[in-house]
Amino acid sequence: MKVEMVQVGITTRCNCHCYFCFREELKRAGRKEARYDLPKESIQKIIDQGIRDIHLCGNRGEAIFHPDIDEIIDMIKSSGSRFEMNTNGGRFDNDWWYRLGQKMTPGDQVIFALDGLKNTHEYYRNTSWLKVMENMKAFIAGGGRAIWQMIVFKHNEHQVKFIKNLSKTIGCAETWVINSRFYNKKYQRPTKENKKTKEDILIETGGIKQIQCKFFMGKRIYIGVDGSVWPCCFMRCHFGFKERAYPGNTVTKLFKEQYDFNNVMNTPLDDIVNNSKMFNRIYSNIYNDTYKYDPEFNGSFEVDIDNPILYKNPNEGCLVRHPRTMVNFACQLYCNTEIEKKGNRIHIKNESTDSTLL
């Protein structure tokens, strides 16, 4: 595979404490994540390898808190690359966001996390709803393409229709209403529609046979804040738990064995994807017409009640024993063809009055 798109986490810094974020789950599992900032030179290495589609995502932190964020954005845009970024929009003033909007070209977009209106958004996140709104409007005024992304809970589902209209009014290109990865007693699941998470469906069905790797099919990979290269962002996040929960896992062993090789600072991306033992083992395991469960590869262990990522419905119900280590769980959870048909996201386009399940 020749890599065409890179999704990259550039920092672990963040001003939010969203309960179901991987960073917060690590803390509850007793792990304090060290602060990392991906060196800006890594971005230049990505560009120098011909990548012209770069997405700054928020898997482990908030991109706009990287100390060199302005230089990184300028690197990407001066190379002629497509730019995409997920953000909570809670840093900088209107002028900064207006200037960012001016830098955008067709195909670029910024996805703003706004989980409802002021009262409901700030219930889950600790960013100022008003500040994020003003920054998003300034970005749009500068010419940027903005997407309003809302995580739906019981406490904010009554605002979906109003937010759809408000999003259109202020000039957002799209509105995405998505399920939370988990729900609990404080942050409850919605009651009206689309209330099953992908994990709910996975456990109900007992695991689906066919896996279609979204990143492989899209010729994209994920780069972590330490420069490590992964088949996808989902797997990198799950690795943070599995490396301790199941240290004998094959992927854990292969990753540690070739840590220096599997790093964007040391090895060209195409070499990693096509010659890394970890990538070869993962692709051979998951990308088949019929998914084959490999006990040696995936393993099995008792989940930990203090580690919600390994636990269905934290604070609700009992422990579940399930053969879910990194590859088995991450791939079936996020690249499951049956789940994709049922859908987990309400993708609302402003030019349409209907909600479409993707």
Side-chain angles (χ1 to χ4, degrees):
M1 180 180 80
K2 181 170 180 57
V3 178
E4 295 182 358
M5 185 269 194
V6 167
Q7 195 175 61
V8 56
I10 60 174
T11 184
T12 59
R13 302 171 190 248
C14 190
N15 59 329
C16 280
H17 300 284
C18 307
Y19 187 82
F20 295 119
C21 173
F22 276 106
R23 295 170 64 256
E24 298 302 307
E25 289 171 350
L26 283 171
K27 292 178 184 177
R28 292 195 295 277
R31 295 186 58 188
K32 184 177 181 180
E33 187 170 45
R35 176 175 290 180
Y36 286 105
D37 296 306
L38 185 72
K40 60 186 177 183
E41 291 78 14
S42 298
I43 302 297
Q44 190 59 56
K45 280 184 174 290
I46 294 169
I47 293 169
D48 291 345
Q49 293 175 49
I51 304 299
R52 291 298 179 266
D53 194 344
I54 301 175
H55 176 190
L56 306 184
C57 64
N59 272 28
R60 307 293 278 268
E62 172 57 50
I64 57 177
F65 279 88
H66 192 290
D68 299 317
I69 184 60
D70 289 300
E71 291 180 68
I72 288 173
I73 292 172
D74 288 343
M75 279 182 192
I76 295 172
K77 291 312 303 169
S78 64
S79 70
S81 299
R82 175 183 176 273
F83 173 83
E84 182 172 334
M85 180 173 71
N86 287 81
T87 182
N88 63 42
R91 190 188 185 199
F92 299 126
D93 58 18
N94 295 354
D95 289 340
W96 188 91
W97 287 98
Y98 181 83
R99 292 195 302 273
L100 179 62
Q102 289 181 311
K103 297 176 182 179
M104 299 295 98
T105 52
D108 297 343
Q109 62 186 23
V110 172
I111 303 160
F112 290 83
L114 274 165
D115 299 330
L117 301 177
K118 178 176 172 57
N119 61 330
T120 54
H121 169 80
E122 294 178 6
Y123 179 70
Y124 183 67
R125 298 178 187 266
N126 64 316
T127 54
S128 164
W129 184 85
L130 182 60
K131 180 178 179 63
V132 179
M133 278 291 292
E134 292 302 314
N135 286 343
M136 183 165 64
K137 288 191 286 187
F139 174 75
I140 294 169
R145 186 180 195 273
I147 293 175
W148 183 323
Q149 178 175 286
M150 171 185 174
I151 300 177
V152 64
F153 298 94
K154 183 179 179 180
H155 66 260
N156 66 4
E157 64 179 335
H158 62 287
Q159 297 174 338
V160 169
K161 184 177 180 179
F162 182 86
I163 285 172
K164 174 187 173 181
N165 292 328
L166 177 60
S167 173
K168 183 177 181 179
T169 298
I170 66 175
C172 289
E174 297 182 53
T175 308
W176 296 351
V177 182
I178 65 173
N179 276 351
S180 174
R181 292 170 45 248
F182 300 100
Y183 294 102
N184 64 13
K185 292 180 180 178
K186 183 176 181 180
Y187 305 109
Q188 298 180 33
R189 64 179 63 241
T191 59
K192 295 181 180 179
E193 62 176 330
N194 193 37
K195 57 187 178 182
K196 287 185 178 180
T197 65
K198 288 190 175 183
E199 186 179 4
D200 292 333
I201 300 172
L202 171 62
I203 293 178
E204 285 178 6
T205 57
I208 311 302
K209 302 299 182 184
Q210 189 172 356
I211 303 296
Q212 290 188 349
C213 178
K214 300 174 186 177
F215 274 63
F216 183 89
M217 295 172 69
K219 297 182 179 179
R220 53 181 173 142
I221 49 89
Y222 174 78
I223 298 175
V225 292
D226 58 350
S228 59
V229 182
W230 295 84
C232 67
C233 59
F234 313 121
M235 198 169 289
R236 174 63 187 96
C237 284
H238 285 290
F239 179 80
F241 296 97
K242 304 304 187 294
E243 62 178 320
R244 288 198 175 189
Y246 193 66
N249 179 275
T250 303
V251 174
T252 303
K253 291 179 178 178
L254 293 177
F255 173 74
K256 291 182 176 180
E257 178 185 334
Q258 289 192 299
Y259 179 81
D260 291 335
F261 179 81
N262 292 333
N263 194 291
V264 67
M265 293 298 291
N266 305 324
T267 313
L269 293 175
D270 288 341
D271 285 352
I272 295 174
V273 170
N274 295 298
N275 299 315
S276 159
K277 294 179 182 178
M278 181 182 74
F279 271 79
N280 288 338
R281 185 65 188 273
I282 290 171
Y283 285 152
S284 65
N285 182 257
I286 66 171
Y287 202 71
N288 297 294
D289 291 335
T290 301
Y291 178 78
K292 296 179 180 179
Y293 177 72
D294 181 346
E296 175 195 353
F297 191 46
N298 295 306
S300 179
F301 59 92
E302 189 74 42
V303 296
D304 183 351
I305 193 169
D306 294 322
N307 196 339
I309 191 63
L310 307 178
Y311 181 52
K312 182 186 178 186
N313 297 334
N315 303 324
E316 298 177 7
C318 60
L319 288 174
V320 178
R321 184 174 179 83
H322 203 277
R324 301 182 301 175
T325 56
M326 180 171 60
V327 174
N328 187 8
F329 183 40
C331 297
Q332 291 211 26
L333 185 61
Y334 297 105
C335 295
N336 191 314
T337 55
E338 183 168 330
I339 291 176
E340 288 304 299
K341 292 177 183 177
K342 292 182 178 180
N344 190 53
R345 168 177 288 179
I346 306 174
H347 191 180
I348 305 173
K349 294 186 176 181
N350 280 335
E351 62 267 24
S352 171
T353 59
D354 297 322
S355 299
T356 303
L357 285 174
L358 295 184

